[in-house]
Amino acid sequence: TVARRYTLAATKKLSEGLRSVPQRISHKNRPRRNDLDREDRLGRQEVTSQRRKHEEVAAQQEHLMKEEENSWNGPRSTWKESAPQLADHLNFVFPELHFPPEVAKRILTHGSHPSAIYGHNGALSFMGRRVMESFLLLMLHSSSALKKDHNLDEIVARTLNSYTLGEVVGSKWALGRAMRWTPSISASLLKAEADQREMLRSVGLYKVQGEAVNAVVGGVFFQFGASVAHRLFHTRVLPLLIDHGLPLAFSEDARVACKRLGGEDGKLLLLDPLTLEQVAETAS
């Protein structure tokens, strides 16, 4: 019994001693304080970086919107629209003809404009160029002034030069006011330039206007037929080129052809638009 009491007392004392000793906490799996600080600092830097990126993107979008409003291209929202003002311009230049908005949009949209993805004047310009070459060659072959040493290819290339067409015919038709294209410089720089004529030539306006003249003839050929395109060429195009590309030897032939078709203000349509539509319906 004495031994038993002694054993129980010793056990009780030992258990009380163990409870009074503070338990050791294991730091084996706990992250160090420096690591926590570094992760917190990296997290704040990432948030700041993302916020800065969002601000830069927003600023870029705002800048693009302002540039878009003041650029040659106009607002992006209008690129896919039919743009009736383009048809209005062509209908003003050629009062007898009534260009559908979609055809006018294609005629006056150059391939350099962003909206060209919805259609541009490349195909009509190619067609109009070939149409005018055909009409000019027919006149040259029928001319008494044609000599054996005349180079027809050279005469055609010189007469229908794109820059000449743009500067002379395109400016006469004021195509630069209605065309949709993208120059190589901004509108603000062009306005600040003193020599506007030379600047317009350097940025390619006359070349683009020349392609638009081709496209107008191609569009007329496509929409109204070969007869109307023929009258357009001999009364509205070739007379303007007599002193700007057409050799002097053939100037009289050009004047005679223009006069025979009614002069520079002669009618383009021999039939009214309703009759043309009826003929088209009958043919189809």
Side-chain angles (χ1 to χ4, degrees):
T1 14
V2 176
R4 186 177 179 184
R5 279 195 223 135
Y6 177 78
T7 303
L8 290 173
T11 304
K12 183 178 180 181
K13 186 176 181 180
L14 180 62
S15 62
E16 289 177 355
L18 291 174
R19 281 198 300 268
S20 62
V21 177
Q23 295 184 357
R24 185 183 297 271
I25 299 176
S26 174
H27 296 277
K28 183 177 181 180
N29 296 323
R30 288 185 58 184
R32 296 180 179 179
R33 182 173 182 80
N34 292 338
D35 294 339
L36 290 174
D37 292 342
R38 185 169 62 254
E39 290 177 3
D40 185 47
R41 186 170 57 257
L42 291 175
R44 288 197 302 270
Q45 290 177 353
E46 184 177 357
V47 171
T48 304
S49 176
Q50 290 179 354
R51 185 184 299 115
R52 187 179 297 112
K53 287 181 180 179
H54 287 306
E55 291 175 353
E56 290 176 356
V57 170
Q60 288 176 359
Q61 290 177 347
E62 184 178 358
H63 177 69
L64 289 175
M65 290 177 64
K66 289 182 179 179
E67 277 193 344
E68 192 175 277
E69 292 176 357
N70 300 322
S71 70
W72 299 88
N73 301 329
R76 185 183 298 270
S77 58
T78 64
W79 292 353
K80 198 174 181 180
E81 297 175 0
S82 58
Q85 71 273 11
L86 302 182
D88 292 341
H89 181 82
L90 291 179
N91 293 335
F92 176 78
V93 178
F94 310 105
E96 297 175 69
L97 308 180
H98 299 280
F99 289 85
E102 284 300 322
V103 176
K105 175 185 173 183
R106 188 172 288 272
I107 289 174
L108 293 177
T109 300
H110 188 256
S112 63
H113 194 273
S115 66
I117 59 175
Y118 304 113
H120 57 84
N121 61 9
L124 291 177
S125 180
F126 177 85
M127 182 191 301
R129 176 78 181 188
R130 299 303 176 268
V131 168
M132 289 197 292
E133 286 177 352
S134 300
F135 292 153
L136 181 57
L137 285 170
L138 287 172
M139 188 201 76
L140 294 176
H141 276 292
S142 63
S143 174
S144 58
L146 183 64
K147 306 298 181 183
K148 291 183 179 180
D149 58 343
H150 280 146
N151 188 330
L152 293 179
D153 291 336
E154 183 180 342
I155 293 174
V156 170
R158 179 182 173 186
T159 304
L160 301 179
N161 178 271
S162 294
Y163 288 95
T164 304
L165 285 175
E167 184 174 4
V168 179
V169 183
S171 298
K172 174 74 173 179
W173 295 351
L175 297 181
R177 300 179 183 176
M179 287 189 315
R180 301 203 294 185
W181 68 297
T182 304
S184 57
I185 64 173
S186 65
S188 58
L189 289 177
L190 179 59
K191 292 177 181 178
E193 184 65 28
D195 191 352
Q196 295 280 321
R197 183 183 180 88
E198 187 59 33
M199 177 59 70
L200 290 174
R201 180 183 292 276
S202 66
V203 300
L205 173 63
Y206 296 143
K207 177 72 162 59
V208 174
Q209 280 191 166
E211 294 177 4
V213 171
N214 292 333
V216 169
V217 177
V220 170
F221 183 86
F222 169 79
Q223 186 68 27
F224 303 100
S227 176
V228 179
H230 179 260
R231 300 177 74 86
L232 175 71
F233 173 73
H234 281 292
T235 61
R236 305 307 197 271
V237 178
L238 194 58
L240 299 176
L241 301 175
I242 289 178
D243 297 324
H244 301 87
L246 182 68
L248 184 62
F250 303 101
S251 59
E252 186 61 27
D253 297 284
R255 293 189 181 94
V256 170
C258 177
K259 186 175 181 180
R260 185 175 66 248
L261 295 174
E264 295 184 17
D265 297 322
K267 287 187 176 182
L268 295 176
L269 290 176
L270 299 180
L271 299 174
D272 58 58
L274 290 177
T275 307
L276 287 175
E277 291 180 4
Q278 293 172 358
V279 171
E281 291 178 357
T282 303
S284 59

